[in-house]
Amino acid sequence: LTRVRGTRRNLYFDHSSALHRPRLVQSTPTHPSRSHAPVQPHSMKLQPDKFDVQSITGHGPGWISVGTGTRTEKIEGSVVLGARGERLDWPCRSFADLTAEHFAQLATLNAEIVIFGSGLRNRFPPPAWLKPLITQRIGLETMDTAAACRTYNVLASEGRHVVAALLLEAPAPLA
């Protein structure tokens, strides 16, 4: 319902008519001191999650578990995962091991967006390393690996072509 401005009466356009033509209706006040339009239920289009995509079912320091349907697998090394089934080893054990070639590899996957999990804490790669992604107009979001796992699952379940580049660092040993 849309209120008609400049009127003394409570007039509203009802946009829900069967022929999709707005019609003018008058509301009845709900309280003598207030004049409100009657509350109309709102509809919302919901789309089901895509459960047929590769998803991250668990994560911890130095590992993630990945599954499709009922099958899961534990991965203990840095990895690149894609919503369309891509799974590549990512040869780096720490943030210091990363180079521009690691990000050039991500650009070859032609994803809509790359989620970069930078390890146990949020760290940003040098901008020069991102040139291959920028050239192909591929977005990059940087966050710690735990947040990257959650974000990847949300975007993959929406049917987006997302790639997660996850740096899986083992926690520092306790002294």
Side-chain angles (χ1 to χ4, degrees):
L1 295 176
T2 307
R3 184 162 188 207
V4 178
R5 300 260 182 212
T7 61
R8 294 184 147 211
R9 295 181 294 157
N10 295 324
L11 298 175
Y12 293 86
F13 279 110
D14 181 4
H15 297 280
S16 64
S17 67
L19 298 176
H20 300 289
R21 292 184 192 148
R23 61 186 173 93
L24 201 55
V25 295
Q26 183 172 1
S27 71
T28 55
T30 55
H31 187 273
S33 65
R34 297 182 191 169
S35 23
H36 294 279
V39 178
Q40 296 287 326
H42 296 281
S43 63
M44 180 183 297
K45 183 177 181 182
L46 298 175
Q47 296 181 353
D49 290 339
K50 291 181 61 101
F51 293 110
D52 58 341
V53 298
Q54 179 171 239
S55 63
I56 300 169
T57 58
H59 59 82
W63 65 272
I64 61 169
S65 61
V66 178
T68 306
T70 59
R71 199 180 96 223
T72 62
E73 177 184 350
K74 188 173 183 178
I75 299 173
E76 294 182 344
S78 298
V79 66
V80 175
L81 297 174
R84 295 185 179 166
E86 303 95 333
R87 185 184 305 184
L88 309 166
D89 288 333
W90 213 33
C92 52
R93 299 196 46 79
S94 69
F95 189 81
D97 295 341
L98 289 172
T99 64
E101 287 77 29
H102 288 98
F103 292 90
Q105 177 187 13
L106 299 176
T108 63
L109 299 174
N110 295 320
E112 184 179 337
I113 187 168
V114 173
I115 306 298
F116 171 51
S118 60
L120 299 174
R121 61 187 180 91
N122 193 9
R123 293 168 284 191
F124 295 92
W129 292 1
L130 307 179
K131 187 175 181 183
L133 294 167
I134 294 168
T135 302
Q136 293 191 9
R137 302 180 60 86
I138 298 171
L140 177 89
E141 291 292 331
T142 300
M143 54 197 74
D144 64 70
T145 299
C149 291
R150 294 186 299 269
T151 303
Y152 167 82
N153 280 345
V154 169
L155 294 175
S157 71
E158 291 176 350
R160 308 270 303 270
H161 185 198
V162 61
V163 167
L166 304 173
L167 182 61
L168 300 177
E169 297 177 310
L174 298 174

